[in-house]
Amino acid sequence: MNEERPAGTPVLRRMNRAAVLDAVRQCAPEPVRLAELARLTELTRPTVTQAVEDLLAADWLRQHAPQPATVGRPATRFSLNGRAAPVLALDVGPHTVTAGIADLAGAHLAVIRRAVRRRDAQHLLDAVDETAGEALATAGLTAEQISAVTAGTPGIVEATTGRVLFAPSMPGWSEIDLVGHLRAHFRCPVTVENDANLAALAAAHQRTGSGTLLAVQWGERLGAGVVIDGRLHRGAGQAGEIGFIRAAGGLPDAAGDGRGPLERAIGAEAIVELARRRAAAHPGSRLAGATDAAAVFAAAGDDPIAAEVVDQVAAIFAEAIAPVVLVLSPHAIVIGGGIARAGAVLLDAIARHLEDLTLTPPGVELSELAENTVLTGAIQLALDEVWRNTLAAC
């Protein structure tokens, strides 16, 4: 027994530290007392005290001054030291690159958005570096202090390597080794993930309870992520590529830009083009001045021609997505991306058409995160990586 003790004690102390740190994380951002930690972890008060002292020494926790107490001795409280392991998230798109830095508790330290003026791959990579660098400077951090990096990108991403296999909206992007490039700058775990998958994780994180969620990322392109009981469903590797569903009104890929039929039918550009064609036939319509999809949806409230366009878009989407709903029976469909600014006019139309096409129509929602959905999912995935490694190493 005595021979086993020296090996067992460090193991137990690591387990105790992990349990206490996880309990503090569950209570974040509120500070927590030793008594509460003992209750949450079911460890003794002396064991919790020792674990807290270890975590304070390792700079994982912060100690707060006791609050004035009316009865008895005021209790010291503890919270996460968010800056112990900040993470970097990137949302890389054909027109915009966004970089966000969050602390260990998930609080944003910096969010920088930069427009991409040229669509060649090298210029896009330069924009990634510049945006990440500006975010680091804003947060007052160096690359060496970042504990995990997650980048979201359009296209098909190989899950095991993070290599972008196919990204038709970003010419030359599949030839860039984004994982290798980021690892050369950040000495920490780097993950590259499909943007729709990250949007799905963000949407699932905001919801309570388990279930099946279909999160649609809808802008110029269309993609989706499927989350089942909190876990991302990848299938054989390309689950969620709804943009390639053959849809009513979908045009052939005459331009050779790699867009699928559903994207060519109701992507953001297609919605504007549809509105322009209808406006040409109805000169008095507000659609005559529509320059983007948001203007089309805004006009639908009091313009019957615009309302017809929105209904047509909703009908095409519902018809395309109905087989997915029949197979998965999701509890909800959450729409993010630029189209998430559409408002109730689009939701009501989609829900109405799904009623006629499915057995158990799911709720249809617009993501509250809108265009920050991918960045939020990237932050969450990076933090999950940090916590998995941290709790294992405690």
Side-chain angles (χ1 to χ4, degrees), residues 55-316:
L55 292 167
L56 285 170
D59 211 27
W60 283 98
L61 297 184
R62 293 185 302 162
Q63 182 172 318
H64 296 260
Q67 292 181 327
T70 55
V71 179
R73 183 178 177 183
T76 302
R77 298 167 303 141
F78 305 90
S79 67
L80 290 175
N81 175 16
R83 295 222 167 208
V87 300
L88 170 66
L90 295 162
D91 177 6
V92 185
H95 305 295
T96 307
V97 173
T98 306
I101 294 179
D103 69 12
L104 190 60
H108 289 191
L109 305 178
V111 176
I112 302 296
R113 186 171 283 106
R114 181 183 290 270
V116 179
R117 292 176 176 80
R118 296 203 312 272
R119 295 180 70 173
D120 62 278
Q122 186 56 53
H123 186 78
L124 187 58
L125 193 61
D126 291 343
V128 168
D129 291 342
E130 291 165 6
T131 310
E134 190 174 345
L136 287 169
T138 301
L141 297 170
T142 64
E144 289 74 19
Q145 292 174 281
I146 297 298
S147 296
V149 176
T150 297
T153 175
I156 296 174
V157 179
E158 190 173 49
T160 55
T161 65
R163 189 163 62 94
V164 180
L165 303 177
F166 181 63
S169 63
M170 297 155 68
W173 192 236
S174 59
E175 300 170 13
I176 296 292
D177 180 9
L178 184 57
V179 170
H181 180 81
L182 291 172
R183 282 179 179 159
H185 290 76
F186 300 93
R187 306 298 183 183
C188 64
V190 172
T191 302
V192 174
E193 181 59 90
N194 170 265
D195 55 358
N197 284 343
L198 292 175
L201 290 172
H205 186 69
Q206 284 202 311
R207 302 175 65 85
T208 57
S210 58
T212 300
L213 176 70
L214 179 66
V216 177
Q217 194 67 1
W218 190 351
E220 181 180 329
R221 308 298 300 260
L222 276 95
V226 181
V227 176
I228 302 175
D229 293 336
R231 297 179 65 87
L232 185 67
H233 173 71
R234 296 182 184 276
Q238 284 79 46
E241 292 295 334
I242 63 171
F244 291 91
I245 293 175
R246 188 169 298 279
L251 301 174
D253 187 9
D257 60 7
R259 285 188 292 171
L262 188 59
E263 293 169 327
R264 301 192 71 80
I266 57 170
E269 290 182 1
I271 292 172
V272 174
E273 182 57 33
L274 177 61
R276 286 173 179 164
R277 291 201 301 267
R278 295 300 299 275
H282 300 84
S285 170
R286 286 178 56 193
L287 292 179
T291 58
D292 56 29
V296 177
F297 295 118
D302 55 12
D303 185 323
I305 303 304
E308 289 178 12
V309 171
V310 173
D311 189 72
Q312 182 177 349
V313 169
I316 294 171

Side-chain angles (χ1 to χ4, degrees), residues 200 203 212-217 223-227 240 242 317 321 324-325 328 330-335 362-363 365:
T212 300
L213 176 70
L214 179 66
V216 177
Q217 194 67 1
V226 181
V227 176
I242 63 171
F317 176 80
I321 212 74
V324 180
V325 172
L328 289 178
H331 294 82
I333 298 174
V334 180
I335 298 173
E365 309 167 9

